[in-house]
Amino acid sequence: MKRWLPIGLGVIGLLLAGYILFGMLTGPKQVAPGQVLWMPWLAVGLTAAAIASCWSTVGARLGSFLGLALGAQSGSALACISLAVAAGRQNYWDAVHFASLYWVAVVGSLGALVLLVRVARGGSELARFLAVLSGLLLGACVVLWAWMTLGPVQELQGWIARTLYLLTHG
Amino acid sequence: MVIGALLIVAIGWWLWVPLSVISARGVIDGLEEEPFYPPLDLRADALLGAARQVLDARLSDAPPPSLGTLRASWPGLADVGAGPWILSLYVPTASSYRGPHVAHVESGDVSAALNHLFDGLPAKARNSKTLAGASLKLDLVLPGRRSLPPGGGRSGSAIDPGLDGIELSDAEGAWLYLPSWSAERKIKRRLIVETAREASRKHGWSKERADAARIQAFRTRAWVEALEPGGRARPTARANVEVPVVDAAAVRESIRIGGAYLTRETSSRGKITYEFQPEHDRIGSGYNMLRHAGTAYSMFQVYRLLGNEADFDAAARAMDYFKARMKEDAAHPGEWFILDPAKKRKRAKLGGAGLGLLAWVEMEKARPGSADYEAMFGLARHILRMQNPDGSFESFYDWDGKERTTRKSIFYPGEAILGLTRLHQLTGDESWLDAAERGADYLVNKRWVALGLRIYIPPDAWLIQALEELDRVRPDERRADYAFAIAAQIARHKLMDPSKAPPDLVGGDLGGLSSLPSAANSGSFGEALSAAARLEARRRPDETRCRRWGELNLGMQLRNQFSEANSWFLANPARAHGGFRFKPNDHEIRNDYVQHNISGLFGMLQLMQPGVPDIGAVVGPAERSAALLEAMR
């Protein structure tokens, strides 16, 4: 029971995150803005509960699975942001929908990183690899935050866009 | 392990796509120092001048001048050498014989080349009426070729539209698809090579031969005839010529011919041509009442600047057309909205009310006592109904109980806020300004702000104008900073460095991989940047950054307005005159492209020339018409 509860919660969290991502991939216009507010948080919350339920006894395999689940939810949230922009959802969503997904990505990647580093200290190679991926996701979140917040980063992005354009139209 | 491999493959693909695009491009060996626009050239003057002399002779049934006579008249012919020179004849018609018709000039014998072109026309076209507006262009094919990947590379990115010609060659010979042809008509970049192959089949190449031919890029120096007899041949690139000077006189003239285009295109019942494709002499079938209102607004601006009665009359007819499509809110008498025709059903858009209000106010400013006050105040009251307690606006009004959309337009609120601000300028009634300020504060402080993040700043060209004019009466640091941030956001995605961008694209925005910059966007961004420049002149008098952006944007605007100088390849240059096109290689003129450009130019002119009417002019109590005062009671 102690083992199956966190696995079950982790699987449900993964399924919820996958459900939203699948919806955004196949029909972004059909995904209600309200869904992206609560479903990713529910997924992260369930996985966090799973981790909390076995934190003191978590082993390499279960820890890697839960870290993977949390990291996948973070990646799913970032992907949903990209898909929403590509599909022009900014005409239907509010700032809170994008911000909510962003913070899910931050919490998911940070939580996964903490868990996976702990598990990796026990010698798990898989956990170490997944920790690197979580770190990359967290790095992507930091870059996104910097782009939203810092003028010089926006200037850099503009410079890259102009340079690439001139390289293909100069 | 598997995940790691997938990650490496994904990163590799992500890097390979742009690298493959960039590596397929390049400069033709020997042409590294070739200028974008060719220099003035006595040989081109001589060849085009002599060709025109022969054409005039053929049209008047006079005996064509001999080569000796031509050489005596045009000494430059002695220096033309082998070239290769290619002479093109453009006939301004939508008929199949429009051309361009091309002939090689062999050994400087321009007479033979012109005769070949003339005799190739159908008999019905060989008359002075049909050929009255015909133009001649000359290409000097430069040495050197650049191999192209199949199809011209990913999305055709190895080819520069309008600059690279396509040479099809095999053991039997070569055929040239001239550079300007891919800009003279709307051709997708990825289809240029295929279009060249198809064109070769009209010149005797079989499909098999065209498909098997070697495909290479080449360049030419090109000139078009002088506009005045005896003038110099004009350098051209990408089917355009450079605007020589961007000064106040040029801007004023641009506004004048832009206004004249709209006046010509306004029917007797007030409908304004929505889309005109001058390369085919064809009009589109759609219509949009928001853009109609915006266009009428710019026509009143033209009248305020130039005082031409025909411009006012046409704009007034356009407002009659607009009023006839307005509807009074059955649930709220005295409130009016505009119904925009759509394929499925008519919708009441906030933007329509905002732009309609702008137009009515501009009409009253242009000629006091002329506006329809029931419509003007009715639209303003409707806008207030669309405002939520937090200052935000609904974008669509559920006038018939069938409106289901949850869409939130980026631009409608800014249009509404600018309309309310302008109504305050006209009436002095603070309640309109209060609503405008609440709306502006929502957009500045709350829209796209949540959970500690500001997601982004949209390039809201209408809001920035409202912020500039609000700042005159209710200055606020946050709103001013936001206006400058919008301008920076716009400029960041434009080609603002003349030392790096192709000269004809300076001031243009970034299109996609397959797209040249949108000249239409330069119109709306011109409105935005000119507003930022006015705000900068008032708030940051020591800075000129926004003004510089506005001036660079001006160049892009003027280069993409049709005039006598750059319309030689159109089917109907006379009708296109004054219109602003969509892109350097997409010549569609839509009424709102003209509106945005005129309004932006009007805003910049105010900074360039003293005495120009203020775009946000305040009407003093003594200047208000009796009719307006009566309506305000």
Side-chain angles (χ1 to χ4, degrees):
Chain A
M1 182 63 187
K2 273 186 180 175
R3 189 176 166 82
W4 287 111
L5 178 67
I7 289 175
L9 290 173
V11 168
I12 293 170
L14 259 179
L15 287 174
L16 287 174
Y19 176 79
I20 285 285
L21 182 60
F22 181 76
M24 288 300 296
L25 278 167
T26 55
K29 291 179 183 173
Q30 274 70 55
V31 176
Q35 275 184 321
V36 300
L37 271 183
W38 64 266
M39 208 177 270
W41 281 114
L42 180 62
V44 166
L46 288 173
T47 314
I51 293 167
S53 73
C54 62
W55 177 256
S56 56
T57 59
V58 68
R61 284 161 65 183
L62 181 59
S64 296
F65 167 69
L66 292 175
L68 176 65
L70 212 46
Q73 286 154 20
S74 170
S76 164
L78 285 178
C80 284
I81 292 173
S82 305
L83 292 167
V85 172
R89 290 286 87 190
Q90 54 271 38
N91 289 322
Y92 296 86
W93 292 13
D94 288 321
V96 71
H97 301 113
F98 288 96
S100 174
L101 282 172
Y102 173 81
W103 287 118
V104 165
V106 171
V107 169
S109 56
L110 190 60
L113 185 63
V114 170
L115 174 65
L116 289 163
V117 165
R118 183 172 187 270
V119 174
R121 281 184 183 151
S124 168
E125 284 297 320
L126 177 62
R128 188 173 296 162
F129 174 72
L130 291 173
V132 171
L133 289 185
S134 301
L136 288 174
L137 279 171
L138 190 58
C141 291
V142 171
V143 169
L144 189 54
W145 175 87
W147 175 79
M148 288 188 284
T149 310
L150 304 175
V153 176
Q154 292 167 1
E155 289 299 330
L156 176 67
Q157 179 260 324
W159 179 84
I160 292 170
R162 291 193 302 273
T163 302
L164 284 174
Y165 190 80
L166 287 173
L167 282 171
T168 53
H169 294 81
Chain B
M1 196 66 183
V2 174
I3 296 172
L6 285 174
L7 197 64
I8 289 167
V9 168
I11 292 171
W13 173 258
W14 186 72
L15 287 173
W16 182 79
V17 169
L19 287 176
S20 69
V21 166
I22 294 162
S23 64
R25 295 173 52 79
V27 181
I28 295 172
D29 288 342
L31 301 184
E32 293 84 358
E33 302 302 319
E34 185 68 13
F36 186 82
Y37 292 106
L40 293 171
D41 193 315
L42 289 170
R43 298 171 302 170
D45 299 343
L47 284 166
L48 285 169
R52 172 54 67 177
Q53 197 176 331
V54 176
L55 179 61
D56 288 346
R58 293 296 305 264
L59 287 172
S60 64
D61 288 332
S66 67
L67 195 54
T69 309
L70 289 174
R71 283 187 174 146
S73 305
W74 303 96
L77 287 179
D79 303 322
V80 296
W85 300 90
I86 298 175
L87 186 65
S88 302
L89 173 66
Y90 292 82
V91 184
T93 174
S95 303
S96 57
Y97 54 84
R98 170 182 157 201
H101 307 272
V102 294
H104 283 260
V105 182
E106 306 288 354
S107 309
D109 190 352
V110 71
S111 185
L114 196 283
N115 284 329
H116 175 78
L117 293 175
F118 191 83
D119 296 333
L121 292 173
K124 63 181 176 183
R126 286 184 232 142
N127 58 73
S128 54
K129 188 182 172 195
T130 306
L131 295 176
S135 297
L136 294 164
K137 179 167 79 78
L138 188 70
D139 283 84
L140 170 62
V141 181
L142 297 171
R145 298 290 183 267
R146 178 165 58 86
S147 293
L148 291 172
R154 183 179 293 275
S155 299
S157 55
I159 302 167
D160 276 319
L163 301 180
D164 283 326
I166 307 295
E167 182 188 71
L168 280 71
S169 62
D170 58 16
E172 294 173 46
W175 184 78
L176 301 178
Y177 181 88
L178 290 178
S180 67
W181 294 355
S182 58
E184 289 169 2
R185 298 196 190 186
K186 182 182 171 184
I187 299 169
K188 288 180 180 168
R189 195 178 190 183
R190 64 185 166 82
L191 297 178
I192 291 175
V193 167
E194 191 50 40
T195 305
R197 282 201 176 99
E198 282 176 17
S200 75
R201 296 208 283 276
K202 292 176 185 163
H203 292 80
W205 282 54
S206 67
K207 184 176 187 311
E208 293 71 25
R209 188 183 173 199
D211 288 345
R214 186 177 185 197
I215 305 291
Q216 292 176 292
F218 71 97
R219 298 245 170 163
T220 68
R221 289 183 176 182
W223 299 264
V224 285
E225 287 183 277
L227 292 173
E228 306 294 335
R232 311 254 358 226
R234 295 172 299 134
T236 170
R238 198 150 23 213
N240 204 353
V241 293
E242 182 55 305
V243 174
V245 184
V246 181
D247 59 8
V251 171
R252 185 179 277 267
E253 174 63 6
S254 172
I255 293 172
R256 187 188 71 75
I257 65 173
Y261 170 84
L262 293 176
T263 296
R264 281 198 312 276
E265 293 299 321
T266 306
S267 72
S268 57
R269 64 191 184 110
K271 190 173 182 181
I272 308 165
T273 302
Y274 185 52
E275 295 162 330
F276 173 51
Q277 291 146 1
E279 76 272 37
H280 304 297
D281 195 15
R282 225 169 29 206
I283 58 170
S285 59
Y287 211 69
N288 183 299
M289 287 310 296
L290 277 75
R291 291 168 182 152
H292 173 98
T295 305
Y297 154 69
S298 71
M299 293 164 79
F300 289 122
Q301 288 180 317
V302 176
Y303 177 76
R304 282 178 62 205
L305 178 69
L306 302 171
N308 183 351
E309 293 300 323
D311 292 333
F312 184 90
D313 292 345
R317 289 200 304 279
M319 293 315 290
D320 289 342
Y321 187 89
F322 184 81
K323 177 71 190 293
R325 281 146 190 83
M326 286 176 65
K327 192 171 178 63
E328 187 169 18
D329 189 347
H332 308 98
E335 298 177 16
W336 290 70
F337 51 86
I338 180 71
L339 290 173
D340 200 37
K343 284 179 183 170
K344 290 182 181 172
R345 63 185 196 83
K346 293 177 177 176
R347 306 179 80 178
K349 301 174 181 174
L350 175 69
L355 293 178
L357 177 58
L358 268 181
W360 289 119
V361 170
E362 202 68 19
M363 185 176 189
E364 181 69 13
K365 283 184 178 180
R367 185 177 290 176
S370 64
D372 183 320
Y373 307 111
E374 181 187 44
M376 184 170 77
F377 288 112
L379 287 171
R381 285 189 284 267
H382 172 73
I383 289 172
L384 296 192
R385 180 159 302 283
M386 299 288 278
Q387 191 168 35
N388 298 311
D390 63 359
S392 66
F393 287 93
E394 297 298 323
S395 289
F396 295 87
Y397 182 55
D398 186 14
W399 66 280
D400 57 357
K402 296 176 184 172
E403 186 58 74
R404 296 286 175 268
T405 187
T406 54
R407 187 169 183 269
K408 293 178 282 283
S409 165
I410 290 174
F411 302 113
Y412 294 172
E415 292 164 346
I417 293 166
L418 182 60
L420 293 171
T421 306
R422 293 272 172 91
L423 186 59
H424 168 260
Q425 292 168 359
L426 182 67
T427 63
D429 184 339
E430 295 284 322
S431 64
W432 305 123
L433 197 61
D434 291 342
E437 189 175 31
R438 276 200 309 278
D441 282 341
Y442 173 84
L443 295 184
V444 169
N445 299 317
K446 295 179 182 169
R447 177 168 72 165
W448 297 116
V449 177
L451 306 178
L453 300 172
R454 179 179 285 283
I455 305 295
Y456 86 128
I457 294 175
D460 193 338
W462 290 105
L463 175 62
I464 190 172
Q465 295 175 76
L467 293 177
E468 187 270 308
E469 293 177 33
L470 260 176
D471 189 70
R472 302 182 190 193
V473 283
R474 291 191 184 169
D476 178 89
E477 288 301 320
R478 285 178 69 92
R479 289 200 292 262
D481 288 346
Y482 192 83
F484 288 124
I486 293 175
Q489 169 75 356
I490 289 171
R492 202 172 286 136
H493 295 93
K494 278 178 150 293
L495 301 171
M496 293 301 204
D497 187 346
S499 69
K500 291 180 180 166
D504 67 330
L505 303 185
V506 172
D509 62 350
L510 310 182
L513 179 61
S514 59
S515 179
L516 291 176
S518 160
N521 278 354
S522 287
S524 51
F525 290 157
E527 292 177 278
L529 294 175
S530 67
R534 293 191 301 274
L535 188 65
E536 179 184 67
R538 204 167 56 245
R539 279 201 164 247
R540 301 176 178 176
D542 298 335
E543 295 182 17
T544 56
R545 193 171 69 141
C546 295
R547 177 163 180 161
R548 177 74 181 141
W549 289 337
E551 287 171 347
L552 289 167
N553 190 73
L554 271 184
M556 185 70 185
Q557 292 181 269
L558 299 193
R559 279 192 296 274
N560 288 285
Q561 183 180 35
F562 285 118
S563 67
E564 296 86 351
N566 63 356
S567 55
W568 67 86
F569 56 88
L570 299 179
N572 191 344
R575 186 170 180 182
H577 190 263
F580 290 85
R581 63 183 166 193
F582 182 48
K583 287 181 185 181
N585 60 347
D586 183 344
H587 310 292
E588 179 177 271
I589 302 168
R590 208 169 69 189
N591 56 20
D592 64 314
Y593 303 160
V594 185
Q595 175 268 307
H596 289 303
N597 276 286
I598 286 177
S599 299
L601 293 169
F602 187 63
M604 279 304 288
L605 187 60
Q606 184 181 334
L607 291 165
M608 300 168 79
Q609 194 171 49
V612 168
D614 183 358
I615 196 168
V618 174
V619 179
E623 300 165 295
R624 289 178 197 133
S625 68
L628 174 63
L629 291 170
E630 177 64 27
M632 286 168 60
R633 285 206 185 106

